[in-house]
Amino acid sequence: MKKILLSLCLCLMGMTVYAQHFISDAAFRQKVNNAFDAKMKLIGSKFYDTKGLSPTMEEEEALRFLYAYMPIADATDYTTAYHLRNVRTALETRKEMAWGKKVPELLFRHFVLPMRVNNEPLDSSRAIFFQELKGRVKGLSMQQAILEVNHWCHEHVTYEPSDARTSSPLQSMRTGRGRCGEESTYTVSALRAIGIPARQVYTPRWAHTDDNHAWVEAWADGKWYFLGACEPEPVLNLAWFNAPASRAMLMHTRAFGDYEGPEEVMLRTNNFTEINLIDNYGSTGRIDFSVLDAKGKPVQDAKVDFKIYNYAEYYTAVTKYTDKKGQTFLSAGRGDMLVWASKNGHYGYAKVSFGKDKKVVIRLSYDDKKAGKEQDMDIIPPVENAILPPVTDAQRKENERRLAEEDAKRNAYIATFPSEESLKDYPIKAAIPYIIRSRGNWRTIKEFVEKYSADEKRAIDLLESLSYKDLRDMPMEILEDQMAAKSDELCPRVESEMILKPFKVFFEKAFSNDAKKFKENPALLVNWVRTNIKLNPDKHAMRIPQTPISTWESRVADERSRNIFFVDVARSLGIEAQQDGVTGKVQYKKDGQWVDVDFETTQQQVAKTGKLVLDYKPTEFLDDPKYYTHFTISKIVNGQTLLMNFDESADGSTYGATWANAFKDGATLDEGTYLLVTGQRMADGSVMAHNRFFTIKPGTTTRINLIMRQETEGIKVIGSFNSEDLFEKEGHNVSLLSQTGRGYYVLGILGVGQEPTNHALHDIAKVKEKLDKWGRPMVLLFTSEEAKEKFDAQKSEFGQLPEKVIYGIDKSGEILKEIAKEMKLHNTSQLPVFIIADTFNRVVFLSQGYTIGLGDQIVKVSNKL
């Protein structure tokens, strides 16, 4: 009897373990179940199929949590078995890793379990990374493990700018390169793979310079720490962006699902909770906003866009919505921002200063009939207040040693990629550039061109339609699908969507009965899509695009996925279709003209357009203003701003759109109301901006002045520097004066391999012609012989630098120390540092750290000397 009772007890204990809840809070568990049921009602229960998978109760609850909040694309493009495999790996990791029990349920649920980090394709990296890393971090503390994982990431991936599409972790690993969004996605994925809570932190736009940045926060023993992704430092909370981050206006992250943590919530959607992290990095202020209509009544559910001046536009960094009283609030860095409120086509805006303003009222005073006012606007960013953790010389030296080893390992892998030399005897000559560009995906591209050598022209035309990043991760099945299709519309990409499944041959067959009439009248295809594809009613949903196949299968999509679906189906049937690069409008070609697609009506029509001419008188300081650098144009659509993306110049110039090549003689725009923003970024990060609203009428030319505000004051002496100081050149100590001769010169001290230095060198290369015309020398100094060798190995990546560049080594660091002392720099580790000085020891320009447009700033100063 006792044996029976003992066996029964053991059985019950086993059942208790087996029946463990993933979500311990019953109320939250019910909330998740309700969200799961709503998702199944939207997409159909066929996309959640656990038959034959036998999940435990814990696994089923975790799986339902993921499905409840995942974007539609993740539910329809990936199988239930795929998601369950990742759930099981995550739960196994929690049991196996020493810190598994330390991680609170809340953090595990939102920052370990989810595969998705940003907008990348999902892959099998979790299981692979777990196997790679679990032995490497064994016996380490959580903080040590975070640092070690980042070293592992640096072994495989380093920084390289690229287009906005985010590669998956395994795609980044294969190519050995990634922009900051990809590096941080990769690092977060690696940390989550070993059970450490991690999240991608994002400043949508810097306030003191153009561009943006993403990095990583990881949780250890009760506290969040930050780190530069794939950029290992000796300690946590240290990165090249400590100083820029202290000047930022906003940082945020998206917590998967309905997250109830201690941070300020900026936006809560059915997919994620956007939380504000700015208080972790700089001094902040809070402003309370009230939105009123033209009659002074509160406006509920008004959209409030918080805009940072960046790349010559007011970029929406975060969006909130007003409550029943027409109110909302935001905490942000102590600088200036444009706040734009809108609803039902009405809008209003105000420039606000966080840290100064406390309460702001915005009236929706403007609409399509009454535009905003022309005005100058001075934008002031937050001041720098970086806090740096202590690091010993021994720690720095050991970290530099490891970085060199990791560079060597990664470079050894990259050296296996094909080159012009290795392919000099390759018979399919036209394919060589594409094989080289494909980097770690070279075997796929090589196999493809060899397989289709009999149809070489079509194969090469297909490769020509792909971006460099596409070549690096395009799978064979997509290429084969394009080749097998009858359509000559070869490009498989509409915009920056994921391409996971072949679709052209599929749609040829699916629409075989209707293809002829759709080709004769593409408006009928528009009507088919409008009738058969249901729009997701959740307007705040995460816009991860579905593949066209999953849109077809689910018959539900957001507007972005519907647009991609239409273009892909049209191209599959031989109809020329596109998403216009400037306006973002979906169009098809009919009788030689582009017709705008409007899914709200059965009648499709050619857009009514007019012409915009911008008048500008070139000056010695600015002869040809650049789009995105000096000005942008946005259309007012339903009371909100929609940026016009003039990426390419009218004459095909590699420099992109400028006043002279795109607007001097007139640019075609759709009818409507627009906002022209111009701005000049000052060396201190402030901006002299000007706003001008204008209207385009059909068949007419609108002519307005392109106003570029200029500083009225001349060059000022801001410090001193001894031109007799010595540096090492080719093994000998020489003075700056002996190398530059009398007059002005540029001196830069580089942080080789660091993102701010890479940006600076790219910017300088862009203005090579103007700096050559100026004719003064530029002295570029490295901090060590090893740094110079590293630069020499990657020098070609930066393009042609000015002719009068002189290279040397500030081996003892004395030159940097003197600049820091004379110019009162707070942090000598923040590189690069650039000055413009003369041989009378007068400094007239200083730039330190992360600055976009450095080349233009140097040219602007040089023109005044």
Side-chain angles (χ1 to χ4, degrees):
M1 185 68 181
K2 287 182 179 180
K3 289 183 179 180
I4 295 174
L5 289 173
L6 180 60
S7 298
L8 182 60
C9 288
L10 290 172
C11 181
L12 290 172
M13 288 173 64
M15 290 176 63
T16 301
V17 172
Y18 182 83
Q20 181 179 344
H21 281 295
F22 174 72
I23 301 172
S24 58
D25 182 85
F28 187 77
R29 194 160 61 242
Q30 186 58 50
K31 179 189 268 191
V32 169
N33 284 332
N34 292 341
F36 173 82
D37 291 341
K39 179 66 65 64
M40 293 300 103
K41 185 177 180 181
L42 177 66
I43 66 173
S45 58
K46 68 177 182 179
F47 291 102
Y48 183 82
D49 182 10
T50 59
K51 186 178 180 180
L53 300 177
S54 304
T56 65
M57 186 175 75
E58 182 183 28
E59 292 168 349
E60 177 97 25
E61 284 184 10
L63 196 58
R64 282 172 167 257
F65 167 74
L66 291 177
Y67 269 85
Y69 298 109
M70 67 174 57
I72 290 177
D74 291 356
T76 58
D77 274 313
Y78 304 90
T79 65
T80 308
Y82 166 82
H83 291 298
L84 182 58
R85 281 197 301 272
N86 288 308
V87 165
R88 284 173 170 161
T89 302
L91 295 176
E92 177 189 348
T93 302
R94 182 163 63 174
K95 294 174 184 176
E96 186 166 336
M97 304 312 293
W99 46 76
K101 294 180 180 179
K102 293 183 181 180
V103 177
E105 179 184 315
L106 175 74
L107 299 186
F108 183 87
R109 185 168 64 229
H110 296 278
F111 298 113
V112 176
L113 179 70
M115 283 292 292
R116 177 162 300 288
V117 178
N118 192 339
N119 55 1
E120 76 282 6
L122 302 184
D123 61 18
S124 56
S125 58
R126 169 156 284 171
I128 294 171
F129 288 2
F130 177 55
Q131 294 301 323
E132 284 269 324
L133 287 165
K134 65 178 182 179
R136 186 157 172 163
V137 300
K138 188 175 182 180
L140 300 181
S141 68
M142 289 190 79
Q143 290 188 48
Q144 291 170 334
I146 293 167
L147 292 169
E148 187 62 33
V149 167
N150 207 20
H151 277 289
W152 178 84
C153 290
H154 180 247
E155 283 182 16
H156 297 283
V157 178
T158 192
Y159 177 79
E160 181 180 79
S162 63
D163 62 44
R165 181 171 67 84
T166 303
S167 297
S168 75
L170 290 178
Q171 288 168 346
S172 296
M173 191 176 188
R174 184 185 305 143
T175 199
R177 295 283 192 272
R179 57 176 172 77
C180 62
E182 290 162 330
E183 288 180 304
S184 50
T185 296
Y186 181 79
T187 306
V188 168
S189 298
L191 288 164
R192 289 181 180 178
I194 59 165
I196 291 180
R199 56 199 188 190
Q200 182 187 59
V201 181
Y202 196 62
T203 181
R205 290 292 189 270
W206 293 116
H208 73 288
T209 190
D210 292 333
D211 213 356
N212 57 6
H213 193 51
W215 58 91
V216 174
E217 284 189 351
W219 184 91
D221 303 318
K223 184 178 178 181
W224 287 97
Y225 297 86
F226 72 82
L227 57 149
C230 303
E231 299 170 333
E233 293 284 356
V235 296
L236 296 173
N237 288 348
L238 178 65
W240 63 258
F241 53 82
N242 282 66
S246 72
R247 303 192 69 186
M249 294 292 295
L250 281 171
M251 273 97 170
H252 63 233
T253 191
R254 289 178 171 180
F256 185 91
D258 194 353
Y259 171 71
E260 293 287 355
E263 302 91 346
E264 175 187 317
V265 173
M266 295 195 292
L267 182 65
R268 198 179 293 277
T269 77
N270 288 335
N271 300 129
F272 62 86
T273 306
E274 192 168 71
I275 55 178
N276 194 352
L277 302 177
I278 186 63
D279 283 326
N280 296 350
Y281 296 91
S283 180
T284 65
R286 168 174 165 151
I287 301 179
D288 292 284
F289 296 89
S290 297
V291 178
L292 308 178
D293 63 17
K295 296 180 180 179
K297 295 182 179 179
V299 180
Q300 181 181 352
D301 204 34
K303 185 180 183 183
V304 184
D305 294 321
F306 295 88
K307 295 175 175 283
I308 297 172
Y309 180 94
N310 197 283
Y311 281 125
E313 69 155 327
Y314 298 111
Y315 177 86
T316 300
V318 67
T319 296
K320 300 188 78 170
Y321 293 85
T322 55
D323 60 17
K324 293 179 180 179
K325 297 180 180 179
Q327 296 177 349
T328 190
F329 73 94
L330 186 72
S331 298
R334 292 174 175 262
D336 295 344
M337 200 183 291
L338 187 74
V339 182
W340 185 290
S342 61
K343 186 175 183 181
N344 298 333
H346 298 271
Y347 64 95
Y349 56 90
K351 191 196 89 167
V352 301
S353 296
F354 287 85
K356 295 180 181 178
D357 298 328
K358 301 297 182 185
K359 294 185 178 182
V360 173
V361 176
I362 299 178
R363 292 180 179 271
L364 306 187
S365 304
Y366 309 114
D367 54 28
D368 289 342
K369 298 179 181 178
K370 181 184 178 183
K373 300 178 292 185
E374 181 175 5
Q375 63 186 134
D376 289 340
M377 193 171 284
D378 295 329
I379 310 293
I380 309 298
V383 298
E384 182 180 319
N385 185 29
I387 299 174
L388 300 173
V391 181
T392 66
D393 289 341
Q395 285 176 312
R396 286 197 180 280
K397 188 173 182 180
E398 172 61 14
N399 196 65
E400 288 172 2
R401 182 194 66 77
R402 293 196 66 182
L403 291 178
E405 285 185 354
E406 290 150 15
D407 285 337
K409 290 179 180 179
R410 186 181 59 256
N411 290 336
Y413 164 67
I414 291 173
T416 65
F417 298 167
S419 64
E420 290 186 10
E421 176 62 24
S422 68
L423 293 173
K424 64 182 179 181
D425 298 324
Y426 189 65
I428 310 176
K429 298 299 183 185
I432 290 175
Y434 305 102
I435 296 172
I436 293 173
R437 292 170 194 163
S438 62
R439 296 180 65 85
N441 197 39
W442 67 270
R443 290 180 179 85
T444 298
I445 301 303
K446 185 171 179 286
E447 181 186 345
F448 166 72
V449 295
E450 291 171 0
K451 183 175 182 179
Y452 292 96
S453 58
D455 197 358
E456 181 180 324
K457 184 180 184 307
R458 183 176 174 88
I460 297 301
D461 286 347
L462 172 56
L463 295 180
E464 178 63 27
S465 75
L466 304 178
S467 69
Y468 281 24
K469 186 176 286 185
D470 286 337
L471 289 167
R472 295 175 183 184
D473 57 28
M474 189 65 67
M476 176 66 83
E477 55 266 29
I478 301 297
L479 298 172
E480 290 179 326
D481 179 55
Q482 304 298 309
M483 292 295 291
K486 297 175 183 176
S487 172
D488 289 329
E489 299 296 314
L490 286 175
C491 184
R493 185 172 300 289
V494 178
E495 36 113 321
S496 60
E497 77 275 21
M498 300 178 288
I499 303 180
L500 302 172
K501 305 173 184 176
F503 59 87
K504 276 195 174 170
V505 173
F506 176 88
F507 287 130
E508 277 182 7
K509 296 177 180 177
F511 287 98
S512 58
N513 294 333
D514 299 312
K516 184 178 179 180
K517 67 179 181 181
F518 286 168
K519 286 189 70 172
E520 292 173 352
N521 183 9
L524 296 176
L525 177 59
V526 177
N527 291 338
W528 187 96
V529 173
R530 180 172 60 86
T531 303
N532 290 277
I533 305 299
K534 179 177 64 175
L535 275 185
N536 182 1
D538 182 5
K539 299 298 183 183
H540 302 161
M542 195 172 184
R543 288 162 57 86
I544 302 294
Q546 296 163 258
T547 63
I549 294 294
S550 75
T551 299
W552 166 270
E553 292 174 342
S554 65
R555 301 299 170 102
V556 62
D558 59 21
E559 290 183 3
R560 182 183 180 190
S561 297
R562 181 181 64 178
N563 291 345
I564 293 168
F565 176 80
F566 171 81
V567 174
D568 279 337
V569 171
R571 289 176 176 174
S572 300
L573 303 181
I575 301 167
E576 196 171 351
Q578 68 173 12
Q579 184 169 333
D580 181 63
V582 174
T583 64
K585 296 186 301 182
V586 174
Q587 300 172 319
Y588 62 81
K589 189 167 277 189
K590 172 75 172 171
D591 300 327
Q593 288 186 301
W594 286 110
V595 179
D596 292 346
V597 170
D598 184 353
F599 290 109
E600 303 304 316
T601 178
T602 59
Q603 301 298 317
Q604 309 300 314
Q605 60 184 2
V606 177
K608 296 178 180 179
T609 63
K611 184 173 283 190
L612 170 68
V613 174
L614 296 179
D615 292 323
Y616 176 76
K617 185 177 180 180
T619 69
E620 60 179 325
F621 308 124
L622 185 59
D623 59 345
D624 189 11
K626 300 182 182 70
Y627 201 80
Y628 296 125
T629 300
H630 301 109
F631 70 101
T632 58
I633 296 168
S634 296
K635 188 177 184 184
I636 309 301
V637 180
N638 195 30
Q640 300 165 36
T641 58
L642 176 65
L643 180 69
M644 301 290 101
N645 291 300
F646 286 95
D647 282 326
E648 301 298 332
S649 64
D651 64 358
S653 164
T654 57
Y655 294 102
T658 69
W659 163 73
N661 66 34
F663 298 94
K664 181 180 180 180
D665 298 321
T668 301
L669 294 174
D670 290 352
E671 66 174 326
T673 300
Y674 292 82
L675 170 63
L676 168 65
V677 177
T678 68
Q680 287 272 49
R681 177 83 69 178
M682 303 294 105
D684 65 358
S686 62
V687 178
M688 299 172 63
H690 182 81
N691 307 333
R692 169 72 184 269
F693 290 84
F694 64 91
T695 301
I696 295 293
K697 296 180 180 179
T700 65
T701 296
T702 298
R703 198 174 201 112
I704 61 175
N705 290 326
L706 182 64
I707 297 173
M708 298 300 309
R709 297 172 61 199
Q710 298 286 347
E711 291 177 286
T712 56
E713 297 180 355
I715 293 295
K716 293 180 179 179
V717 176
I718 59 175
S720 64
F721 179 76
N722 185 6
S723 61
E724 297 283 1
D725 280 353
L726 302 178
F727 67 91
E728 183 180 301
K729 179 186 177 185
E730 298 174 355
H732 302 284
N733 287 332
V734 296
S735 69
L736 285 163
L737 176 60
S738 72
Q739 300 301 301
T740 64
R742 290 293 180 185
Y744 283 99
Y745 60 90
V746 179
L747 170 63
I749 301 178
L750 308 180
V752 176
Q754 297 176 0
E755 187 174 337
T757 292
N758 292 348
H759 276 294
L761 294 173
H762 281 294
D763 283 345
I764 290 169
K766 289 178 182 177
V767 295
K768 174 187 184 302
E769 185 177 335
K770 293 180 179 179
L771 290 176
D772 287 343
K773 185 178 179 181
W774 182 39
R776 296 304 301 156
M778 175 179 289
V779 181
L780 299 181
L781 300 181
F782 307 100
T783 56
S784 66
E785 186 68 43
E786 292 77 14
K788 183 180 185 303
E789 291 174 0
K790 185 174 182 179
F791 171 81
D792 289 341
Q794 59 183 212
K795 183 179 177 180
S796 61
E797 296 180 12
F798 305 115
Q800 283 291 113
L801 294 172
E803 291 176 359
K804 291 195 173 183
V805 169
I806 300 165
Y807 296 105
I809 303 174
D810 183 24
K811 189 169 269 187
S812 64
E814 291 303 316
I815 289 180
L816 178 56
K817 289 177 184 176
E818 183 177 343
I819 294 175
K821 178 181 177 183
E822 295 295 334
M823 304 305 298
K824 297 181 173 58
L825 301 183
H826 300 296
N827 173 21
T828 57
S829 65
Q830 185 187 343
L831 299 176
V833 174
F834 279 85
I835 64 171
I836 300 178
D838 66 8
T839 46
F840 296 101
N841 300 335
R842 299 176 297 188
V843 178
V844 297
F845 172 84
L846 168 70
S847 172
Q848 182 181 19
Y850 190 78
T851 302
I852 298 298
L854 176 68
D856 286 328
Q857 290 188 14
I858 292 174
V859 168
K860 185 163 64 174
V861 173
S862 71
N863 284 333
K864 295 181 179 181
L865 297 175

